[in-house]
Amino acid sequence: MISFFYIIAVLVVAGLLLWFLGQVPAIDPTMKQLIRAVIIIFAVLLTLWFLFGLFSGGAGISGL
């Protein structure tokens, strides 16, 4: 059950980072897009890794 809290916490932090990135006007728009893409890709990959580990009976997050 703790792994669900972990993945939710990671997604909340990613959402807060994306929100904060949108609030900062001094960053170049190209850099904003690059940082936004990295955050989204990281969150998606982490979520997929967690879900496939959970459904396959593998380690997933709890194996760390």
Side-chain angles (χ1 to χ4, degrees):
M1 191 64 170
I2 192 74
S3 55
F4 281 119
F5 293 123
Y6 178 78
I7 195 69
I8 289 172
V10 168
L11 292 175
V12 166
V13 168
L16 287 173
L17 285 172
L18 288 172
W19 174 80
F20 180 72
L21 184 65
Q23 300 300 315
V24 179
I27 299 178
D28 182 44
T30 305
M31 286 302 295
K32 272 189 181 181
Q33 287 180 340
L34 180 65
I35 296 170
R36 185 177 294 130
V38 168
I39 293 171
I40 291 171
I41 289 170
F42 173 75
V44 167
L45 288 177
L46 185 67
T47 304
L48 288 174
W49 176 65
F50 170 73
L51 290 177
F52 285 126
L54 180 70
F55 291 135
S56 69
I61 296 292
S62 62
L64 286 176

